[in-house]
PDB file of all heavy atoms in Angstrom:
ATOM      1  N   PHE A   9      -8.779  15.189 -11.836  1.00 94.00           N
ATOM      2  CA  PHE A   9      -9.365  13.870 -11.589  1.00 94.00           C
ATOM      3  C   PHE A   9      -8.411  12.766 -12.035  1.00 94.00           C
ATOM      4  O   PHE A   9      -8.252  11.748 -11.366  1.00 94.00           O
ATOM      5  CB  PHE A   9     -10.691  13.758 -12.341  1.00 94.00           C
ATOM      6  CG  PHE A   9     -11.402  12.455 -12.084  1.00 94.00           C
ATOM      7  CD1 PHE A   9     -12.023  12.222 -10.875  1.00 94.00           C
ATOM      8  CD2 PHE A   9     -11.431  11.467 -13.056  1.00 94.00           C
ATOM      9  CE1 PHE A   9     -12.666  11.023 -10.623  1.00 94.00           C
ATOM     10  CE2 PHE A   9     -12.072  10.265 -12.821  1.00 94.00           C
ATOM     11  CZ  PHE A   9     -12.690  10.042 -11.603  1.00 94.00           C
ATOM     12  N   ALA A  10      -7.738  12.977 -13.174  1.00 96.00           N
ATOM     13  CA  ALA A  10      -6.795  11.972 -13.676  1.00 96.00           C
ATOM     14  C   ALA A  10      -5.623  11.819 -12.707  1.00 96.00           C
ATOM     15  O   ALA A  10      -5.242  10.703 -12.361  1.00 96.00           O
ATOM     16  CB  ALA A  10      -6.292  12.378 -15.055  1.00 96.00           C
ATOM     17  N   LEU A  11      -5.086  12.944 -12.251  1.00 96.00           N
ATOM     18  CA  LEU A  11      -3.964  12.877 -11.306  1.00 96.00           C
ATOM     19  C   LEU A  11      -4.404  12.215 -10.009  1.00 96.00           C
ATOM     20  O   LEU A  11      -3.690  11.387  -9.440  1.00 96.00           O
ATOM     21  CB  LEU A  11      -3.444  14.299 -11.021  1.00 96.00           C
ATOM     22  CG  LEU A  11      -2.689  14.931 -12.191  1.00 96.00           C
ATOM     23  CD1 LEU A  11      -2.380  16.386 -11.870  1.00 96.00           C
ATOM     24  CD2 LEU A  11      -1.407  14.170 -12.479  1.00 96.00           C
ATOM     25  N   PHE A  12      -5.594  12.561  -9.528  1.00 96.00           N
ATOM     26  CA  PHE A  12      -6.115  11.977  -8.289  1.00 96.00           C
ATOM     27  C   PHE A  12      -6.275  10.465  -8.431  1.00 96.00           C
ATOM     28  O   PHE A  12      -5.937   9.705  -7.519  1.00 96.00           O
ATOM     29  CB  PHE A  12      -7.460  12.631  -7.955  1.00 96.00           C
ATOM     30  CG  PHE A  12      -8.001  12.191  -6.630  1.00 96.00           C
ATOM     31  CD1 PHE A  12      -7.435  12.658  -5.452  1.00 96.00           C
ATOM     32  CD2 PHE A  12      -9.076  11.321  -6.570  1.00 96.00           C
ATOM     33  CE1 PHE A  12      -7.931  12.250  -4.223  1.00 96.00           C
ATOM     34  CE2 PHE A  12      -9.573  10.905  -5.343  1.00 96.00           C
ATOM     35  CZ  PHE A  12      -9.007  11.370  -4.166  1.00 96.00           C
ATOM     36  N   SER A  13      -6.787  10.021  -9.588  1.00 98.00           N
ATOM     37  CA  SER A  13      -6.966   8.584  -9.818  1.00 98.00           C
ATOM     38  C   SER A  13      -5.617   7.868  -9.795  1.00 98.00           C
ATOM     39  O   SER A  13      -5.476   6.796  -9.196  1.00 98.00           O
ATOM     40  CB  SER A  13      -7.649   8.351 -11.165  1.00 98.00           C
ATOM     41  OG  SER A  13      -8.913   8.990 -11.168  1.00 98.00           O
ATOM     42  N   ILE A  14      -4.613   8.460 -10.441  1.00 98.00           N
ATOM     43  CA  ILE A  14      -3.284   7.844 -10.473  1.00 98.00           C
ATOM     44  C   ILE A  14      -2.715   7.736  -9.056  1.00 98.00           C
ATOM     45  O   ILE A  14      -2.185   6.696  -8.662  1.00 98.00           O
ATOM     46  CB  ILE A  14      -2.341   8.667 -11.374  1.00 98.00           C
ATOM     47  CG1 ILE A  14      -2.795   8.556 -12.839  1.00 98.00           C
ATOM     48  CG2 ILE A  14      -0.898   8.176 -11.229  1.00 98.00           C
ATOM     49  CD1 ILE A  14      -2.035   9.484 -13.760  1.00 98.00           C
ATOM     50  N   VAL A  15      -2.872   8.807  -8.291  1.00 98.00           N
ATOM     51  CA  VAL A  15      -2.353   8.788  -6.914  1.00 98.00           C
ATOM     52  C   VAL A  15      -3.064   7.718  -6.098  1.00 98.00           C
ATOM     53  O   VAL A  15      -2.433   6.992  -5.329  1.00 98.00           O
ATOM     54  CB  VAL A  15      -2.541  10.174  -6.264  1.00 98.00           C
ATOM     55  CG1 VAL A  15      -2.247  10.114  -4.766  1.00 98.00           C
ATOM     56  CG2 VAL A  15      -1.628  11.190  -6.944  1.00 98.00           C
ATOM     57  N   MET A  16      -4.365   7.584  -6.263  1.00 98.00           N
ATOM     58  CA  MET A  16      -5.114   6.575  -5.502  1.00 98.00           C
ATOM     59  C   MET A  16      -4.660   5.170  -5.875  1.00 98.00           C
ATOM     60  O   MET A  16      -4.474   4.323  -5.015  1.00 98.00           O
ATOM     61  CB  MET A  16      -6.614   6.721  -5.785  1.00 98.00           C
ATOM     62  CG  MET A  16      -7.219   7.934  -5.095  1.00 98.00           C
ATOM     63  SD  MET A  16      -7.077   7.860  -3.299  1.00 98.00           S
ATOM     64  CE  MET A  16      -8.101   6.428  -2.966  1.00 98.00           C
ATOM     65  N   VAL A  17      -4.455   4.914  -7.167  1.00 98.00           N
ATOM     66  CA  VAL A  17      -4.009   3.580  -7.606  1.00 98.00           C
ATOM     67  C   VAL A  17      -2.635   3.266  -7.014  1.00 98.00           C
ATOM     68  O   VAL A  17      -2.411   2.177  -6.485  1.00 98.00           O
ATOM     69  CB  VAL A  17      -3.964   3.523  -9.149  1.00 98.00           C
ATOM     70  CG1 VAL A  17      -3.248   2.253  -9.609  1.00 98.00           C
ATOM     71  CG2 VAL A  17      -5.376   3.573  -9.713  1.00 98.00           C
ATOM     72  N   VAL A  18      -1.724   4.235  -7.076  1.00 98.00           N
ATOM     73  CA  VAL A  18      -0.378   4.023  -6.526  1.00 98.00           C
ATOM     74  C   VAL A  18      -0.461   3.785  -5.024  1.00 98.00           C
ATOM     75  O   VAL A  18       0.219   2.905  -4.483  1.00 98.00           O
ATOM     76  CB  VAL A  18       0.514   5.245  -6.834  1.00 98.00           C
ATOM     77  CG1 VAL A  18       1.830   5.136  -6.074  1.00 98.00           C
ATOM     78  CG2 VAL A  18       0.778   5.335  -8.327  1.00 98.00           C
ATOM     79  N   ALA A  19      -1.308   4.532  -4.336  1.00 98.00           N
ATOM     80  CA  ALA A  19      -1.439   4.380  -2.880  1.00 98.00           C
ATOM     81  C   ALA A  19      -1.976   2.991  -2.536  1.00 98.00           C
ATOM     82  O   ALA A  19      -1.494   2.342  -1.613  1.00 98.00           O
ATOM     83  CB  ALA A  19      -2.364   5.458  -2.325  1.00 98.00           C
ATOM     84  N   VAL A  20      -2.960   2.520  -3.294  1.00 98.00           N
ATOM     85  CA  VAL A  20      -3.535   1.188  -3.022  1.00 98.00           C
ATOM     86  C   VAL A  20      -2.493   0.099  -3.255  1.00 98.00           C
ATOM     87  O   VAL A  20      -2.330  -0.807  -2.439  1.00 98.00           O
ATOM     88  CB  VAL A  20      -4.776   0.957  -3.920  1.00 98.00           C
ATOM     89  CG1 VAL A  20      -5.223  -0.499  -3.862  1.00 98.00           C
ATOM     90  CG2 VAL A  20      -5.911   1.874  -3.472  1.00 98.00           C
ATOM     91  N   ILE A  21      -1.756   0.199  -4.373  1.00 98.00           N
ATOM     92  CA  ILE A  21      -0.726  -0.808  -4.667  1.00 98.00           C
ATOM     93  C   ILE A  21       0.355  -0.788  -3.584  1.00 98.00           C
ATOM     94  O   ILE A  21       0.764  -1.839  -3.081  1.00 98.00           O
ATOM     95  CB  ILE A  21      -0.102  -0.525  -6.047  1.00 98.00           C
ATOM     96  CG1 ILE A  21      -1.156  -0.768  -7.143  1.00 98.00           C
ATOM     97  CG2 ILE A  21       1.123  -1.414  -6.273  1.00 98.00           C
ATOM     98  CD1 ILE A  21      -0.650  -0.383  -8.520  1.00 98.00           C
ATOM     99  N   TRP A  22       0.791   0.412  -3.176  1.00 97.00           N
ATOM    100  CA  TRP A  22       1.825   0.516  -2.142  1.00 97.00           C
ATOM    101  C   TRP A  22       1.318  -0.064  -0.827  1.00 97.00           C
ATOM    102  O   TRP A  22       2.044  -0.760  -0.115  1.00 97.00           O
ATOM    103  CB  TRP A  22       2.200   1.992  -1.965  1.00 97.00           C
ATOM    104  CG  TRP A  22       3.187   2.199  -0.867  1.00 97.00           C
ATOM    105  CD1 TRP A  22       4.536   2.060  -0.950  1.00 97.00           C
ATOM    106  CD2 TRP A  22       2.897   2.561   0.486  1.00 97.00           C
ATOM    107  NE1 TRP A  22       5.089   2.320   0.275  1.00 97.00           N
ATOM    108  CE2 TRP A  22       4.130   2.625   1.174  1.00 97.00           C
ATOM    109  CE3 TRP A  22       1.704   2.832   1.170  1.00 97.00           C
ATOM    110  CZ2 TRP A  22       4.182   2.960   2.532  1.00 97.00           C
ATOM    111  CZ3 TRP A  22       1.773   3.151   2.523  1.00 97.00           C
ATOM    112  CH2 TRP A  22       3.003   3.216   3.174  1.00 97.00           C
ATOM    113  N   PHE A  23       0.040   0.213  -0.497  1.00 96.00           N
ATOM    114  CA  PHE A  23      -0.530  -0.296   0.752  1.00 96.00           C
ATOM    115  C   PHE A  23      -0.603  -1.823   0.732  1.00 96.00           C
ATOM    116  O   PHE A  23      -0.265  -2.479   1.720  1.00 96.00           O
ATOM    117  CB  PHE A  23      -1.931   0.300   0.949  1.00 96.00           C
ATOM    118  CG  PHE A  23      -2.590  -0.194   2.200  1.00 96.00           C
ATOM    119  CD1 PHE A  23      -2.214   0.316   3.430  1.00 96.00           C
ATOM    120  CD2 PHE A  23      -3.575  -1.165   2.135  1.00 96.00           C
ATOM    121  CE1 PHE A  23      -2.826  -0.140   4.594  1.00 96.00           C
ATOM    122  CE2 PHE A  23      -4.186  -1.625   3.294  1.00 96.00           C
ATOM    123  CZ  PHE A  23      -3.808  -1.107   4.528  1.00 96.00           C
ATOM    124  N   MET A  24      -1.011  -2.396  -0.404  1.00 96.00           N
ATOM    125  CA  MET A  24      -1.104  -3.857  -0.499  1.00 96.00           C
ATOM    126  C   MET A  24       0.273  -4.493  -0.362  1.00 96.00           C
ATOM    127  O   MET A  24       0.446  -5.486   0.340  1.00 96.00           O
ATOM    128  CB  MET A  24      -1.736  -4.250  -1.846  1.00 96.00           C
ATOM    129  CG  MET A  24      -3.223  -3.929  -1.902  1.00 96.00           C
ATOM    130  SD  MET A  24      -3.943  -4.325  -3.492  1.00 96.00           S
ATOM    131  CE  MET A  24      -3.688  -6.095  -3.556  1.00 96.00           C
ATOM    132  N   ARG A  25       1.286  -3.894  -1.025  1.00 96.00           N
ATOM    133  CA  ARG A  25       2.649  -4.451  -0.931  1.00 96.00           C
ATOM    134  C   ARG A  25       3.158  -4.348   0.500  1.00 96.00           C
ATOM    135  O   ARG A  25       3.777  -5.273   1.027  1.00 96.00           O
ATOM    136  CB  ARG A  25       3.583  -3.693  -1.871  1.00 96.00           C
ATOM    137  CG  ARG A  25       3.311  -4.026  -3.330  1.00 96.00           C
ATOM    138  CD  ARG A  25       4.322  -3.376  -4.250  1.00 96.00           C
ATOM    139  NE  ARG A  25       5.665  -3.827  -3.946  1.00 96.00           N
ATOM    140  CZ  ARG A  25       6.762  -3.403  -4.559  1.00 96.00           C
ATOM    141  NH1 ARG A  25       6.658  -2.495  -5.515  1.00 96.00           N
ATOM    142  NH2 ARG A  25       7.943  -3.855  -4.238  1.00 96.00           N
ATOM    143  N   SER A  26       2.880  -3.229   1.164  1.00 96.00           N
ATOM    144  CA  SER A  26       3.334  -3.053   2.550  1.00 96.00           C
ATOM    145  C   SER A  26       2.632  -4.054   3.460  1.00 96.00           C
ATOM    146  O   SER A  26       3.242  -4.627   4.358  1.00 96.00           O
ATOM    147  CB  SER A  26       3.044  -1.627   3.012  1.00 96.00           C
ATOM    148  OG  SER A  26       3.764  -0.712   2.212  1.00 96.00           O
ATOM    149  N   ALA A  27       1.341  -4.291   3.215  1.00 95.00           N
ATOM    150  CA  ALA A  27       0.583  -5.234   4.042  1.00 95.00           C
ATOM    151  C   ALA A  27       1.148  -6.646   3.884  1.00 95.00           C
ATOM    152  O   ALA A  27       1.311  -7.369   4.860  1.00 95.00           O
ATOM    153  CB  ALA A  27      -0.892  -5.198   3.642  1.00 95.00           C
TER     154      ALA A  27
END
Side-chain angles (χ1 to χ4, degrees):
F9 183 73
L11 288 173
F12 186 74
S13 300
I14 292 172
V15 170
M16 286 299 296
V17 169
V18 171
V20 169
I21 293 175
W22 176 83
F23 179 77
M24 288 178 62
R25 288 185 60 182
S26 298

